[in-house]
Amino acid sequence: MMARYIWILVGLVLSMATCLAQSGDPSAGKDLFSTSNCMGCHGQTAMGGLGPPIAKTKLSFEEFLKTVREGKGMMPATPSADMSDDQVRSLHTELQSKPWIPEEIPIAYKVGQFLTTKNVSKVFLGVFLFAFIFAIRGLAFWFRAAGFASLWPRLVKMGIGKAIGITIKSFIVDGFLVRSLWRNNKSRWFMHGLMLYGFCGLLTADILISILNPTRSQLPLSDPLKLLPLLSGLAVLIGVSFVMVRYRKDNYIDNGLTLGRDFLFVNLLFHTIVSGFLTILLKRLGIHDWVMTVYLYHLASITLLIATSPFTRFQHMWVVPIMAAMTRLTEAVTVSGIDIGFQREPSPGRHHKSERIAKNVMEQLGSEYDGPVCLRYYP
Ligand code: HEC
């Protein structure tokens, strides 16, 4: 297993290197279509792939050029740096003379017709909504478990303004800067940082691209809009590989509760990132027949990653910072002289070690304690 992942990584890095080394234009021969990236979506005979058939195109050159330059729906724009007006003209002529062979219209085109930007956004919106509702449901559970009901009146007494200040500070210091790990274990902090900041980088890149490059035209690798997602993706990839190695080595990792879900998250993330890199790589290497398939796999991985997020280790990303903020609030209330029982419980972040937590709690409670013990697991 491990060896396989290492080989995938080595392969990726090597092919990225060759891809960066090779530059420019692979033969602009007479058969332009079969060497263009158009073929990846419009099929080898231009009778359609995920995009519609464009053999015997009825579009005028002007309309054709406009489609190529501006993109259409899922089709990215192609700037003149990648294909000159003259090349588009030859391509147009070439396509007009290609035979129309209806039997060659693939089934993939049926899928392709469904995959309009509108439908894809609808699916993503639906999945986000689903994840959001269940994430809120999960959070409600943890708020209850962390004793929010008994904390609330004391927070009001302490002052909501102060409580908000403490919460924001905790989100930054405990959440975004992962202070607890910085203090305890620098290498695990680094791994968390790679995943967390890499993830934020990917999200920022996605937002920036939809604003600054809405037609998703191909950019040079040195462009900040390309560099940001590439480096962020690489950070997440290294982070997630580190987690995979740790999952294999850490004896305490199996808490008997969530191992499967933890692995599901880590594997989905791995597939998402690798298929993302592979899409870029295939595009740059000119292996256009595979680009769309791998890209669809990438989209499917993202969809699954989001849809399962409230049930997998992914929820770590919001549950732990929120629980850490709850701990800070509890501390602040306790400092003001009120003892809240659950303050003595293990702090969030001790997930995965439930057996040790149980022993620890029992020791702290002492032998005279005979009330119920409720173990809380922070995802
Ligand atoms: C990522 C996949 C993809 C690539 C790459 C791609 N296309 Fe498209 N193309 C599409 C899709 C999908 C549509 C349908 C868009 C719609 O109608 O919403 C389309 C539509 C078109 C149309 C309009 C067809 C019509 O009858 O309305 C033309 C012309 C076209 N593409 C030409 C090209 C050319 C030339 C290239 C290469 C420079 C290219 N495409 C590359 C996916 C792609």
Side-chain angles (χ1 to χ4, degrees):
M1 269 303 257
M2 222 23 254
R4 206 180 71 198
Y5 287 126
I6 290 172
W7 279 117
I8 292 177
L9 280 183
V10 170
L12 259 176
V13 171
L14 277 183
S15 27
M16 266 163 76
T18 44
C19 165
L20 286 170
Q22 107 177 34
S23 61
D25 177 282
S27 82
K30 35 186 157 45
D31 195 1
L32 248 164
F33 183 74
S34 63
T35 53
S36 70
N37 73 339
C38 321
M39 192 187 74
C41 294
H42 291 286
Q44 275 169 346
T45 54
M47 282 311 294
L50 285 164
I54 48 172
K56 282 256 165 315
T57 178
K58 293 202 174 57
L59 298 179
S60 66
F61 171 66
E62 285 71 28
E63 293 167 316
F64 187 82
L65 184 68
K66 189 170 183 294
T67 312
V68 171
R69 288 286 175 255
E70 295 173 8
K72 190 176 181 191
M74 289 285 282
M75 173 173 153
T78 307
S80 47
D82 289 347
M83 192 181 264
S84 67
D85 282 11
D86 282 345
Q87 281 175 313
V88 179
R89 190 180 289 279
S90 324
L91 189 61
H92 182 244
T93 317
E94 189 186 319
L95 285 170
Q96 279 178 321
S97 65
K98 272 203 186 294
W100 179 265
I101 323 166
E103 308 85 70
E104 293 211 358
I105 297 178
I107 311 167
Y109 179 45
K110 290 219 161 63
V111 183
Q113 273 179 315
F114 170 78
L115 282 176
T116 59
T117 17
K118 221 182 193 164
N119 284 344
V120 171
S121 328
K122 266 191 218 155
V123 169
F124 268 109
L125 201 71
V127 169
F128 262 115
L129 214 65
F130 171 85
F132 185 74
I133 290 168
F134 280 91
I136 293 290
R137 224 182 75 139
L139 268 178
F141 171 80
W142 287 111
F143 268 119
R144 215 172 324 119
F148 190 71
S150 49
L151 184 63
W152 177 248
R154 290 166 173 116
L155 285 181
V156 173
K157 209 179 266 173
M158 185 180 78
I160 294 296
K162 192 176 169 197
I164 292 174
I166 292 168
T167 307
I168 292 174
K169 190 179 160 212
S170 170
F171 277 161
I172 296 170
V173 178
D174 298 311
F176 199 66
L177 301 177
V178 208
R179 177 171 61 181
S180 65
L181 281 180
W182 176 257
R183 285 184 178 159
N184 294 338
N185 188 330
K186 294 279 193 292
S187 75
R188 281 193 53 206
W189 177 87
F190 187 63
M191 174 273 289
H192 265 78
L194 283 177
M195 304 236 302
L196 179 61
Y197 307 136
F199 211 84
C200 293
L202 285 177
L203 219 65
T204 313
D206 209 51
I207 294 168
L208 287 180
I209 287 170
S210 66
I211 297 169
L212 300 173
N213 184 16
T215 56
R216 285 163 294 121
S217 65
Q218 183 101 298
L219 298 168
L221 282 175
S222 55
D223 191 286
L225 271 189
K226 200 89 206 176
L227 225 48
L228 178 63
L230 273 177
L231 292 178
S232 308
L234 205 61
V236 177
L237 185 64
I238 296 169
V240 84
S241 309
F242 189 100
V243 174
M244 282 171 149
V245 173
R246 207 170 67 84
Y247 272 21
R248 265 154 230 293
K249 284 194 179 156
D250 192 333
N251 293 330
Y252 282 102
I253 216 73
D254 187 0
N255 57 24
L257 290 171
T258 59
L259 191 68
R261 301 174 190 194
D262 294 351
F263 268 90
L264 183 64
F265 167 60
V266 166
N267 277 292
L268 279 176
L269 189 59
F270 189 78
H271 281 239
T272 301
I273 299 289
V274 170
S275 57
F277 272 118
L278 214 56
T279 307
I280 298 173
L281 204 72
L282 290 171
K283 231 190 237 172
R284 300 267 158 176
L285 291 176
I287 309 175
H288 300 301
D289 326 21
W290 283 95
V291 174
M292 235 14 224
T293 318
V294 177
Y295 182 59
L296 285 179
Y297 185 79
H298 179 62
L299 288 184
S301 310
I302 297 179
T303 313
L304 266 177
L305 189 68
I306 297 169
T308 55
S309 63
F311 316 104
T312 64
R313 188 67 183 279
F314 203 155
Q315 54 180 314
H316 195 80
M317 198 160 154
W318 55 88
V319 173
V320 171
I322 289 177
M323 288 298 114
M326 281 280 293
T327 308
R328 298 287 161 254
L329 288 171
T330 313
E331 279 166 7
V333 167
T334 313
V335 164
S336 68
I338 307 156
D339 184 21
I340 302 177
F342 52 79
Q343 161 77 69
R344 288 189 299 273
E345 290 184 358
S347 65
R350 297 282 84 83
H351 46 271
H352 272 323
K353 314 262 185 326
S354 23
E355 214 182 302
R356 280 197 293 191
I357 292 174
K359 280 190 193 132
N360 197 4
V361 170
M362 292 315 288
E363 272 163 25
Q364 283 189 29
L365 287 172
S367 51
E368 67 277 15
Y369 182 81
D370 61 352
V373 173
C374 171
L375 245 194
R376 288 165 195 169
Y377 165 77
Y378 292 92

